[in-house]
Amino acid sequence: MAKVVITDTIARKLDAPETGNKITYDARVPGFGVRVTASGARSFVINYRTKGGRERRYTIGRVEDWRATDARAKAKELRQKVDAGGDPLQSERDVRAAATVKEAWTWFEESYFPELRPATRADYKRLANMYVLPSLGGMKAADVRQEHIRAMYRGIESPYRANRALAVTSKLFAEMIADGGFIGVATNPVKHAIPARKRHKEAKREAPLGTEHIAPLLAALAGEQDKQGANVIRLLMLTGARRGETLKAQWNQFDLDKGFWTKPSHHTKQNKEHRIALSGAALTLMKQLWNQRDQEAESDWVFPSGRTGAHRTELKATWRRVCIAAGLVKEETRGERVVLKPVARLHDLRHFYASNLVASGAHLTVVQDMLGHTTPDITRRYIKTKEDAQREAANAVGDLFKEGAAQ
């Protein structure tokens, strides 16, 4: 395998593999390299073999947190310890043997978070800081029992947040067990603390968008002052794409002659390249945007930010105005004020798109492929339930016999 002298630029630009991870090794320090995962996470690592012949891999830190020169110096220091008969990874694990849950969480962030999407990292941190650490943080990880998990769970008022906090805590302990360095943590205390049948039931959210909302939404978009934001929403409506994929879209991803949008792996949730066919309406929109683009700015982004030079990142204010104009709001009392709150989320446009694909006769596997889902089960959550479909079909037949109703 060819080796290179790893620099900051090289570490940031290494291609991500389609699956798993790939390590590019340094030409100067044996075993030192950059590991890139399929999700695009990048970390400096060093591989070594102990005096006993055991192969080890020590993670120095994330590329965004370390300079290549500093990481190489750390690798040299670790290599010297290995040559002297030491085992840096085992030494670190010995310290972790008596770790508190708070210390284990710090390790969890450093070792596991690089593989997660930014939004997931933020969600995990929020749950940990609000619930997990205040309840369990001061305890030794090895001392946590089912009763401690139950106390934490029952102390969270929101059913949704209680379930999410439980899931995050379970993931923390699962990773600790998989690592093997946390002595005394051999079983996951979350696993049987709250059986699935006793966990909070989360009410299924009704889909707020129907075909009757298309005309009001289009009218609202036509009158929206934020023209760029309105076009982002139009593309979401016409493709069912995720918000992040759309805001990060670049012109080189679109083939406007053949009518395809190829999303790169580092933009998609499934970490795989995703190619979708554009409808005639979507293709017309993209051609209009291409003709209207600011050629002087020479931006690669379809929806560039005028302030940062990168892509646009926010749509909340625009979506709220559009919902108000389309009548998709409800009144909510906040203190002495009454405010209008949208009843639909931007993500509901994706659910709406999926439901209409199925209604048009598209097979579930086609819908799965178009939405970029990894399994059909995920896709089923985006479309109408079997009961809904049965009721619609029954009503269609029932309407034929309305005149025969009892008098």
Side-chain angles (χ1 to χ4, degrees), residues 53-127:
R54 189 172 183 180
E55 291 187 0
R56 298 283 209 180
R57 177 175 299 160
Y58 185 102
T59 301
I60 296 171
R62 298 185 300 174
V63 166
E64 55 262 44
D65 297 332
W66 284 72
R67 294 174 55 195
T69 52
D70 294 335
R72 184 180 287 105
K74 178 66 175 179
K76 287 181 180 179
E77 175 188 326
L78 293 170
R79 175 61 63 183
Q80 290 173 353
K81 291 181 179 179
V82 172
D83 292 343
D87 185 350
L89 189 59
Q90 186 59 49
S91 298
E92 185 177 285
R93 288 180 173 179
D94 290 342
V95 172
R96 282 193 252 134
T100 63
V101 172
K102 184 176 182 180
E103 290 167 340
W105 181 266
T106 300
W107 164 85
F108 182 59
E109 285 194 15
E110 293 173 350
S111 62
Y112 183 69
F113 270 36
E115 301 176 13
L116 302 177
R117 296 167 59 243
T120 305
R121 292 179 207 167
D123 192 39
Y124 278 18
K125 278 189 174 183
R126 183 164 50 249
L127 290 166

Side-chain angles (χ1 to χ4, degrees), residues 137 155 171 255 259 267 281 286 291 326 354:
K171 185 62 181 176
D255 186 332
H267 282 190
M286 294 310 301
N291 292 330

Side-chain angles (χ1 to χ4, degrees), residues 31-282:
F32 173 59
V34 178
R35 179 184 61 204
V36 184
T37 68
S39 65
R42 300 160 190 275
S43 299
F44 291 111
V45 300
I46 180 168
N47 286 2
Y48 64 91
R49 189 183 296 273
T50 67
K51 291 295 184 181
R54 189 172 183 180
E55 291 187 0
R56 298 283 209 180
R57 177 175 299 160
Y58 185 102
T59 301
I60 296 171
R62 298 185 300 174
V63 166
E64 55 262 44
D65 297 332
W66 284 72
R67 294 174 55 195
T69 52
D70 294 335
R72 184 180 287 105
K74 178 66 175 179
K76 287 181 180 179
E77 175 188 326
L78 293 170
R79 175 61 63 183
Q80 290 173 353
K81 291 181 179 179
V82 172
D83 292 343
D87 185 350
L89 189 59
Q90 186 59 49
S91 298
E92 185 177 285
R93 288 180 173 179
D94 290 342
V95 172
R96 282 193 252 134
T100 63
V101 172
K102 184 176 182 180
E103 290 167 340
W105 181 266
T106 300
W107 164 85
F108 182 59
E109 285 194 15
E110 293 173 350
S111 62
Y112 183 69
F113 270 36
E115 301 176 13
L116 302 177
R117 296 167 59 243
T120 305
R121 292 179 207 167
D123 192 39
Y124 278 18
K125 278 189 174 183
R126 183 164 50 249
L127 290 166
N129 291 331
M130 291 180 67
Y131 309 113
V132 182
L133 298 182
S135 180
L136 307 173
M139 296 183 63
K140 286 188 177 182
D143 291 340
V144 177
R145 299 290 182 266
Q146 292 183 17
E147 56 266 29
H148 303 125
I149 300 297
R150 285 192 283 268
M152 177 192 75
Y153 184 76
R154 292 165 181 166
I156 303 173
E157 293 184 2
S158 165
Y160 177 84
R161 289 182 178 179
N163 289 342
R164 298 291 84 72
L166 196 69
V168 168
T169 308
S170 182
K171 185 62 181 176
L172 168 63
F173 277 91
E175 289 299 315
M176 292 162 64
I177 293 168
D179 176 80
F182 292 85
I183 309 302
V185 182
T187 58
N188 191 333
V190 181
K191 194 170 183 180
H192 301 293
I194 310 287
R197 68 181 184 280
K198 292 188 176 181
R199 294 179 188 179
H200 298 308
K201 299 296 185 291
E202 298 175 25
K204 183 179 178 182
R205 187 172 177 270
E206 293 296 324
L209 296 176
T211 53
E212 70 275 15
H213 297 120
I214 295 177
L217 277 173
L218 292 177
L221 290 170
E224 170 56 34
Q225 62 191 30
D226 176 10
K227 301 303 180 185
Q228 185 192 70
N231 285 327
V232 176
I233 295 170
R234 288 188 181 99
L235 189 57
L236 291 171
M237 293 176 68
L238 291 170
T239 62
R242 296 181 178 89
R243 171 183 170 278
E245 296 170 347
T246 305
L247 290 173
K248 294 176 184 176
Q250 295 180 278
W251 283 114
N252 60 10
Q253 299 170 13
F254 292 86
D255 186 332
L256 299 184
D257 293 324
K258 296 181 179 178
F260 286 99
W261 178 7
T262 304
K263 306 167 192 175
S265 61
H266 58 283
H267 282 190
T268 66
K269 192 173 182 178
Q270 68 273 31
N271 297 319
K272 292 182 180 179
E273 185 178 271
H274 182 213
R275 188 180 191 225
I276 62 169
L278 297 173
S279 66

